[in-house]
């Protein structure tokens, strides 16, 4: 039984219930327990254990991720417009959570989405009230934790935020938000917190135009006290609060009305990139520390949602039908239409491969094809076809598994005790052992049996 980092033990097998088959109690020798009438005592529905198809941890998973990381973005293809500009069309991203390349692409994607959401939110509010929203960058922290406690700490701060967002004080001040969770690793050997992890959340908050002069205003001390209460800390946690200003500083109200929405969209984009930056977990001078950090972060962050929308911003993100920045397309991170109509219909492509020796991308060819939109639709159809094929293959494998179970039980059904022992075999023995026994049974059949009887 493998112990998962920062969580409970991960079972090495999965349990399958055999409908219509009864399991019987066994004694310490493996023989069925009999009642007063000499009949086996039933225990419930029969089950058997089989190795998990998708292993959560172990050498196979590490090797697979290493292979994918090594080949990440080795191939890239760009769509080239008539003016010579290139737009990424396709690439071989590995999608491993800790991959620096994929994290960079996720941060760009999130930045592009924030720009769109903020611009729409401000434009709608200006149309309704003639004033844009104000925006805050708030960072909520807790104390550093050991690697084994990191998963629980992240769950704790996420739960604390969810509860805080329901309180009257929050709802009176905040109309929408973006959460980006980050984990940093302390690699300073002189620090008392050396080799510990610091989970914290960066929040982009949408507040009313009169927030700083109204009754709903929350001071930095107020935010800290609010966060202490909802995160359940016995100390005053550090909370950083900053007002976001347009690019170049100055006051938003000084800009022309038509430029205010876009100006804040660009400023908030920079905040989202900062909030989603990759953690610094690689220490070239300390390989053991780096390997330990990778193991902890990979296990804890795997399939964990590190970004989310809330309130008004969540509604706008749904209206825009934005792709998921974590599991979505990492190639087409900003699908806003180009002002160049020719570029929107381009069908000329140029491809590059990463050359390890040159440490650069080298051109390998160019081609003409359908428009990028048509090719993306075809790629999506191909991916769906692959999923359908995999599902069909899994169904065939499941059918083979059930054939093995039913055949093994049929071969051992001539006596209740023998059948009970066979059920216990299916519950405890590896699949390979069961198949070996079936093969031995077939080989021991009389020669006069027909092939049809042997394979029935």
């Amino acid at each position: 039984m493998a112990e998962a980092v920062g969580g409970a033990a991960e079972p090495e097998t999965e349990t399958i219930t055999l409908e219509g088959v009864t399991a019987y109690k066994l004694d310490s020798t493996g023989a069925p327990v009999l009642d007063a009438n000499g009949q086996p005592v039933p225990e419930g529905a029969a089950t058997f254990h089989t190795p998990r198809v998708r292993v959560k941890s172990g050498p196979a998973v590490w090797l697979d991720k290493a292979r994918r990381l090594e080949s990440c973005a080795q191939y890239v293809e760009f769509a080239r417009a008539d003016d010579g500009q290139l737009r990424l069309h396709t690439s071989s991203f590995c999608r491993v959570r800790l991959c620096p390349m994929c994290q960079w692409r996720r941060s760009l994607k999130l930045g592009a989405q924030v720009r769109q959401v903020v611009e729409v939110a401000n434009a709608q509010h200006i149309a309704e009230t003639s004033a844009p929203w104000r925006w805050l960058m708030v960072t909520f922290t807790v104390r550093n934790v050991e690697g084994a406690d990191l998963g629980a700490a992240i769950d704790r701060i996420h739960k604390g935020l969810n509860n805080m967002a329901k309180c009257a004080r929050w709802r009176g001040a905040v109309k929408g938000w973006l959460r980006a969770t980050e984990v940093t690793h302390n690699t300073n050997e002189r620090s008392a917190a050396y080799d510990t992890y610091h989970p914290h959340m960066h929040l982009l908050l949408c507040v009313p135009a009169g927030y700083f002069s109204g009754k709903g205003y929350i001071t930095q001390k107020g935010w800290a006290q609010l966060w202490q209460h909802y995160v359940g800390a016995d100390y005053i946690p550090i909370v950083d609060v900053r007002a976001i200003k347009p690019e170049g500083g100055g006051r938003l109200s000084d800009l022309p009305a038509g430029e205010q929405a876009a100006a804040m969209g660009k400023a908030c984009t920079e905040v989202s990139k900062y909030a989603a930056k990759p953690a610094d977990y690689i220490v070239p001078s300390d390989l053991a520390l780096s390997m330990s950090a990778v193991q902890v972060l990979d296990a804890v962050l795997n399939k964990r949602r590190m970004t989310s929308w809330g309130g008004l911003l969540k509604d706008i993100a749904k209206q825009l039908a934005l792709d998921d920045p974590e599991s979505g397309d990492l190639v087409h991170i900003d699908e806003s239409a180009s002002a160049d109509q020719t570029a929107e219909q381009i069908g000329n492509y140029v491809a590059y491969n990463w050359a390890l020796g040159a440490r650069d991308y080298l051109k390998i060819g160019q081609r003409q094809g359908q428009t990028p939109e048509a090719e993306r639709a075809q790629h999506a159809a191909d991916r769906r076809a692959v999923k359908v094929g995999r599902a069909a293959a899994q169904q065939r494998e499941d059918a083979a598994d059930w054939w093995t179970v039913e055949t093994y039980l049929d071969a051992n059904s001539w006596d209740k005790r023998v059948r009970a022992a066979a059920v216990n075999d299916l519950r405890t023995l590896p699949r390979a052992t069961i198949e070996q026994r079936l093969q031995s049974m077939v080989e021991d059949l009389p020669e006069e049996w027909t092939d049809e009887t042997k394979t029935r």
Side-chain angles (χ1 to χ4, degrees), residues 318-347:
K318 287 183 177 180
Q319 293 173 9
L320 297 175
L322 296 180
D323 196 7
D324 190 333
E326 297 192 35
S327 61
D329 185 3
L330 295 182
V331 174
H332 310 97
I333 59 175
D334 188 355
E335 290 303 295
S336 55
S338 170
D340 185 352
Q341 296 300 319
T342 303
E344 292 300 308
Q345 301 296 326
I346 193 66

mmCIF file of all heavy atoms in Angstrom, residues 318-347:
data_model
loop_
_atom_site.group_PDB
_atom_site.id
_atom_site.type_symbol
_atom_site.label_atom_id
_atom_site.label_comp_id
_atom_site.label_asym_id
_atom_site.label_seq_id
_atom_site.Cartn_x
_atom_site.Cartn_y
_atom_site.Cartn_z
ATOM 1 N N LYS A 318 -18.826 33.156 -17.827
ATOM 2 C CA LYS A 318 -19.748 32.205 -18.440
ATOM 3 C C LYS A 318 -20.367 32.790 -19.701
ATOM 4 O O LYS A 318 -20.537 32.087 -20.714
ATOM 5 C CB LYS A 318 -20.845 31.832 -17.447
ATOM 6 C CG LYS A 318 -20.396 30.917 -16.327
ATOM 7 C CD LYS A 318 -21.560 30.529 -15.437
ATOM 8 C CE LYS A 318 -21.131 29.554 -14.350
ATOM 9 N NZ LYS A 318 -22.273 29.156 -13.475
ATOM 10 N N GLN A 319 -20.711 34.072 -19.668
ATOM 11 C CA GLN A 319 -21.290 34.719 -20.844
ATOM 12 C C GLN A 319 -20.317 34.692 -22.020
ATOM 13 O O GLN A 319 -20.727 34.514 -23.172
ATOM 14 C CB GLN A 319 -21.664 36.160 -20.512
ATOM 15 C CG GLN A 319 -22.793 36.310 -19.505
ATOM 16 C CD GLN A 319 -23.016 37.749 -19.082
ATOM 17 O OE1 GLN A 319 -22.430 38.674 -19.656
ATOM 18 N NE2 GLN A 319 -23.847 37.947 -18.074
ATOM 19 N N LEU A 320 -19.045 34.872 -21.730
ATOM 20 C CA LEU A 320 -18.030 34.865 -22.782
ATOM 21 C C LEU A 320 -17.644 33.464 -23.218
ATOM 22 O O LEU A 320 -16.871 33.303 -24.163
ATOM 23 C CB LEU A 320 -16.786 35.621 -22.298
ATOM 24 C CG LEU A 320 -16.969 37.111 -21.997
ATOM 25 C CD1 LEU A 320 -15.693 37.699 -21.403
ATOM 26 C CD2 LEU A 320 -17.358 37.862 -23.269
ATOM 27 N N ALA A 321 -18.163 32.440 -22.492
ATOM 28 C CA ALA A 321 -17.849 31.037 -22.803
ATOM 29 C C ALA A 321 -16.343 30.806 -22.845
ATOM 30 O O ALA A 321 -15.807 30.200 -23.779
ATOM 31 C CB ALA A 321 -18.496 30.629 -24.124
ATOM 32 N N LEU A 322 -15.656 31.301 -21.808
ATOM 33 C CA LEU A 322 -14.206 31.185 -21.769
ATOM 34 C C LEU A 322 -13.766 29.757 -21.476
ATOM 35 O O LEU A 322 -14.376 29.044 -20.678
ATOM 36 C CB LEU A 322 -13.638 32.126 -20.697
ATOM 37 C CG LEU A 322 -13.866 33.619 -20.941
ATOM 38 C CD1 LEU A 322 -13.272 34.434 -19.814
ATOM 39 C CD2 LEU A 322 -13.265 34.037 -22.276
ATOM 40 N N ASP A 323 -12.683 29.363 -22.102
ATOM 41 C CA ASP A 323 -12.095 28.048 -21.886
ATOM 42 C C ASP A 323 -11.463 27.990 -20.498
ATOM 43 O O ASP A 323 -11.059 29.011 -19.937
ATOM 44 C CB ASP A 323 -11.036 27.793 -22.965
ATOM 45 C CG ASP A 323 -10.660 26.330 -23.039
ATOM 46 O OD1 ASP A 323 -11.305 25.517 -22.352
ATOM 47 O OD2 ASP A 323 -9.714 26.003 -23.779
ATOM 48 N N ASP A 324 -11.387 26.794 -19.938
ATOM 49 C CA ASP A 324 -10.774 26.621 -18.620
ATOM 50 C C ASP A 324 -9.279 26.885 -18.733
ATOM 51 O O ASP A 324 -8.585 26.217 -19.509
ATOM 52 C CB ASP A 324 -11.003 25.193 -18.115
ATOM 53 C CG ASP A 324 -10.603 25.012 -16.661
ATOM 54 O OD1 ASP A 324 -9.713 25.763 -16.196
ATOM 55 O OD2 ASP A 324 -11.155 24.121 -15.993
ATOM 56 N N PRO A 325 -8.726 27.844 -17.978
ATOM 57 C CA PRO A 325 -7.292 28.139 -18.095
ATOM 58 C C PRO A 325 -6.395 27.014 -17.604
ATOM 59 O O PRO A 325 -5.214 26.976 -17.942
ATOM 60 C CB PRO A 325 -7.117 29.400 -17.228
ATOM 61 C CG PRO A 325 -8.259 29.366 -16.278
ATOM 62 C CD PRO A 325 -9.394 28.732 -17.020
ATOM 63 N N GLU A 326 -6.921 26.080 -16.817
ATOM 64 C CA GLU A 326 -6.102 25.000 -16.275
ATOM 65 C C GLU A 326 -6.130 23.750 -17.145
ATOM 66 O O GLU A 326 -5.112 23.123 -17.367
ATOM 67 C CB GLU A 326 -6.554 24.667 -14.848
ATOM 68 C CG GLU A 326 -6.375 25.825 -13.875
ATOM 69 C CD GLU A 326 -6.544 25.392 -12.439
ATOM 70 O OE1 GLU A 326 -6.149 24.260 -12.108
ATOM 71 O OE2 GLU A 326 -7.063 26.163 -11.640
ATOM 72 N N SER A 327 -7.312 23.377 -17.625
ATOM 73 C CA SER A 327 -7.428 22.148 -18.414
ATOM 74 C C SER A 327 -7.749 22.405 -19.878
ATOM 75 O O SER A 327 -7.859 21.463 -20.655
ATOM 76 C CB SER A 327 -8.523 21.253 -17.810
ATOM 77 O OG SER A 327 -9.775 21.912 -17.824
ATOM 78 N N GLY A 328 -7.898 23.663 -20.254
ATOM 79 C CA GLY A 328 -8.291 23.985 -21.614
ATOM 80 C C GLY A 328 -7.138 24.077 -22.594
ATOM 81 O O GLY A 328 -6.011 23.636 -22.325
ATOM 82 N N ASP A 329 -7.424 24.678 -23.727
ATOM 83 C CA ASP A 329 -6.468 24.811 -24.835
ATOM 84 C C ASP A 329 -5.330 25.742 -24.448
ATOM 85 O O ASP A 329 -5.542 26.886 -24.072
ATOM 86 C CB ASP A 329 -7.220 25.361 -26.051
ATOM 87 C CG ASP A 329 -6.358 25.422 -27.298
ATOM 88 O OD1 ASP A 329 -5.191 24.975 -27.231
ATOM 89 O OD2 ASP A 329 -6.847 25.918 -28.321
ATOM 90 N N LEU A 330 -4.096 25.247 -24.534
ATOM 91 C CA LEU A 330 -2.923 26.057 -24.213
ATOM 92 C C LEU A 330 -2.294 26.676 -25.454
ATOM 93 O O LEU A 330 -1.312 27.412 -25.346
ATOM 94 C CB LEU A 330 -1.875 25.208 -23.481
ATOM 95 C CG LEU A 330 -2.272 24.672 -22.106
ATOM 96 C CD1 LEU A 330 -1.112 23.905 -21.483
ATOM 97 C CD2 LEU A 330 -2.715 25.800 -21.195
ATOM 98 N N VAL A 331 -2.829 26.393 -26.614
ATOM 99 C CA VAL A 331 -2.283 26.936 -27.860
ATOM 100 C C VAL A 331 -2.948 28.271 -28.182
ATOM 101 O O VAL A 331 -2.294 29.300 -28.338
ATOM 102 C CB VAL A 331 -2.459 25.951 -29.024
ATOM 103 C CG1 VAL A 331 -2.010 26.589 -30.333
ATOM 104 C CG2 VAL A 331 -1.667 24.679 -28.759
ATOM 105 N N HIS A 332 -4.267 28.262 -28.277
ATOM 106 C CA HIS A 332 -5.014 29.467 -28.665
ATOM 107 C C HIS A 332 -5.468 30.171 -27.397
ATOM 108 O O HIS A 332 -6.613 30.030 -26.957
ATOM 109 C CB HIS A 332 -6.188 29.083 -29.553
ATOM 110 C CG HIS A 332 -5.802 28.184 -30.681
ATOM 111 N ND1 HIS A 332 -5.950 26.813 -30.635
ATOM 112 C CD2 HIS A 332 -5.203 28.462 -31.863
ATOM 113 C CE1 HIS A 332 -5.501 26.280 -31.761
ATOM 114 N NE2 HIS A 332 -5.039 27.267 -32.524
ATOM 115 N N ILE A 333 -4.556 30.936 -26.799
ATOM 116 C CA ILE A 333 -4.828 31.535 -25.498
ATOM 117 C C ILE A 333 -5.609 32.824 -25.604
ATOM 118 O O ILE A 333 -6.203 33.274 -24.635
ATOM 119 C CB ILE A 333 -3.512 31.796 -24.736
ATOM 120 C CG1 ILE A 333 -2.604 32.735 -25.534
ATOM 121 C CG2 ILE A 333 -2.811 30.494 -24.426
ATOM 122 C CD1 ILE A 333 -1.344 33.126 -24.808
ATOM 123 N N ASP A 334 -5.634 33.447 -26.773
ATOM 124 C CA ASP A 334 -6.379 34.694 -26.954
ATOM 125 C C ASP A 334 -7.018 34.658 -28.330
ATOM 126 O O ASP A 334 -6.356 34.872 -29.343
ATOM 127 C CB ASP A 334 -5.456 35.906 -26.823
ATOM 128 C CG ASP A 334 -6.239 37.218 -26.816
ATOM 129 O OD1 ASP A 334 -7.463 37.161 -27.010
ATOM 130 O OD2 ASP A 334 -5.619 38.279 -26.626
ATOM 131 N N GLU A 335 -8.302 34.367 -28.333
ATOM 132 C CA GLU A 335 -9.001 34.181 -29.606
ATOM 133 C C GLU A 335 -9.771 35.426 -30.046
ATOM 134 O O GLU A 335 -10.749 35.346 -30.766
ATOM 135 C CB GLU A 335 -9.967 32.992 -29.493
ATOM 136 C CG GLU A 335 -9.234 31.661 -29.397
ATOM 137 C CD GLU A 335 -8.312 31.442 -30.571
ATOM 138 O OE1 GLU A 335 -8.791 31.324 -31.704
ATOM 139 O OE2 GLU A 335 -7.098 31.406 -30.353
ATOM 140 N N SER A 336 -9.356 36.604 -29.554
ATOM 141 C CA SER A 336 -10.008 37.832 -30.013
ATOM 142 C C SER A 336 -9.695 38.049 -31.479
ATOM 143 O O SER A 336 -8.589 37.793 -31.951
ATOM 144 C CB SER A 336 -9.527 39.034 -29.191
ATOM 145 O OG SER A 336 -8.114 39.135 -29.232
ATOM 146 N N ALA A 337 -10.682 38.509 -32.206
ATOM 147 C CA ALA A 337 -10.524 38.649 -33.651
ATOM 148 C C ALA A 337 -9.476 39.685 -34.012
ATOM 149 O O ALA A 337 -9.305 40.698 -33.334
ATOM 150 C CB ALA A 337 -11.861 39.036 -34.277
ATOM 151 N N SER A 338 -8.761 39.427 -35.088
ATOM 152 C CA SER A 338 -7.753 40.362 -35.559
ATOM 153 C C SER A 338 -8.403 41.440 -36.415
ATOM 154 O O SER A 338 -9.420 41.211 -37.072
ATOM 155 C CB SER A 338 -6.694 39.609 -36.390
ATOM 156 O OG SER A 338 -5.845 40.519 -37.036
ATOM 157 N N ALA A 339 -7.808 42.635 -36.401
ATOM 158 C CA ALA A 339 -8.329 43.717 -37.246
ATOM 159 C C ALA A 339 -8.044 43.439 -38.715
ATOM 160 O O ALA A 339 -8.667 44.008 -39.604
ATOM 161 C CB ALA A 339 -7.700 45.044 -36.832
ATOM 162 N N ASP A 340 -7.084 42.574 -38.968
ATOM 163 C CA ASP A 340 -6.710 42.206 -40.333
ATOM 164 C C ASP A 340 -7.584 41.040 -40.783
ATOM 165 O O ASP A 340 -7.432 39.920 -40.311
ATOM 166 C CB ASP A 340 -5.222 41.820 -40.376
ATOM 167 C CG ASP A 340 -4.751 41.538 -41.795
ATOM 168 O OD1 ASP A 340 -5.594 41.498 -42.702
ATOM 169 O OD2 ASP A 340 -3.543 41.357 -41.968
ATOM 170 N N GLN A 341 -8.529 41.281 -41.693
ATOM 171 C CA GLN A 341 -9.435 40.229 -42.134
ATOM 172 C C GLN A 341 -8.687 39.116 -42.861
ATOM 173 O O GLN A 341 -9.098 37.958 -42.830
ATOM 174 C CB GLN A 341 -10.516 40.827 -43.053
ATOM 175 C CG GLN A 341 -11.410 41.829 -42.339
ATOM 176 C CD GLN A 341 -12.146 41.204 -41.166
ATOM 177 O OE1 GLN A 341 -12.618 40.067 -41.269
ATOM 178 N NE2 GLN A 341 -12.230 41.914 -40.054
ATOM 179 N N THR A 342 -7.606 39.465 -43.518
ATOM 180 C CA THR A 342 -6.826 38.439 -44.214
ATOM 181 C C THR A 342 -6.231 37.455 -43.220
ATOM 182 O O THR A 342 -6.188 36.241 -43.451
ATOM 183 C CB THR A 342 -5.696 39.087 -45.037
ATOM 184 O OG1 THR A 342 -6.276 40.027 -45.937
ATOM 185 C CG2 THR A 342 -4.926 38.040 -45.814
ATOM 186 N N ALA A 343 -5.755 37.980 -42.097
ATOM 187 C CA ALA A 343 -5.146 37.121 -41.085
ATOM 188 C C ALA A 343 -6.153 36.130 -40.514
ATOM 189 O O ALA A 343 -5.791 35.026 -40.106
ATOM 190 C CB ALA A 343 -4.560 37.965 -39.951
ATOM 191 N N GLU A 344 -7.449 36.520 -40.505
ATOM 192 C CA GLU A 344 -8.462 35.628 -39.964
ATOM 193 C C GLU A 344 -8.767 34.472 -40.920
ATOM 194 O O GLU A 344 -9.422 33.520 -40.533
ATOM 195 C CB GLU A 344 -9.744 36.419 -39.679
ATOM 196 C CG GLU A 344 -9.612 37.409 -38.545
ATOM 197 C CD GLU A 344 -9.255 36.725 -37.233
ATOM 198 O OE1 GLU A 344 -9.954 35.765 -36.849
ATOM 199 O OE2 GLU A 344 -8.268 37.133 -36.614
ATOM 200 N N GLN A 345 -8.315 34.560 -42.164
ATOM 201 C CA GLN A 345 -8.574 33.502 -43.129
ATOM 202 C C GLN A 345 -7.286 32.824 -43.589
ATOM 203 O O GLN A 345 -7.266 32.164 -44.606
ATOM 204 C CB GLN A 345 -9.300 34.085 -44.351
ATOM 205 C CG GLN A 345 -10.621 34.751 -44.014
ATOM 206 C CD GLN A 345 -11.618 33.755 -43.470
ATOM 207 O OE1 GLN A 345 -11.623 32.602 -43.879
ATOM 208 N NE2 GLN A 345 -12.451 34.198 -42.526
ATOM 209 N N ILE A 346 -6.205 33.015 -42.856
ATOM 210 C CA ILE A 346 -4.906 32.535 -43.298
ATOM 211 C C ILE A 346 -4.848 31.011 -43.356
ATOM 212 O O ILE A 346 -5.460 30.340 -42.535
ATOM 213 C CB ILE A 346 -3.788 33.080 -42.377
ATOM 214 C CG1 ILE A 346 -2.419 32.854 -42.987
ATOM 215 C CG2 ILE A 346 -3.870 32.453 -41.006
ATOM 216 C CD1 ILE A 346 -2.191 33.645 -44.234
ATOM 217 N N GLY A 347 -4.161 30.504 -44.338
ATOM 218 C CA GLY A 347 -3.989 29.064 -44.462
ATOM 219 C C GLY A 347 -2.551 28.692 -44.738
ATOM 220 O O GLY A 347 -2.280 27.598 -45.223
#
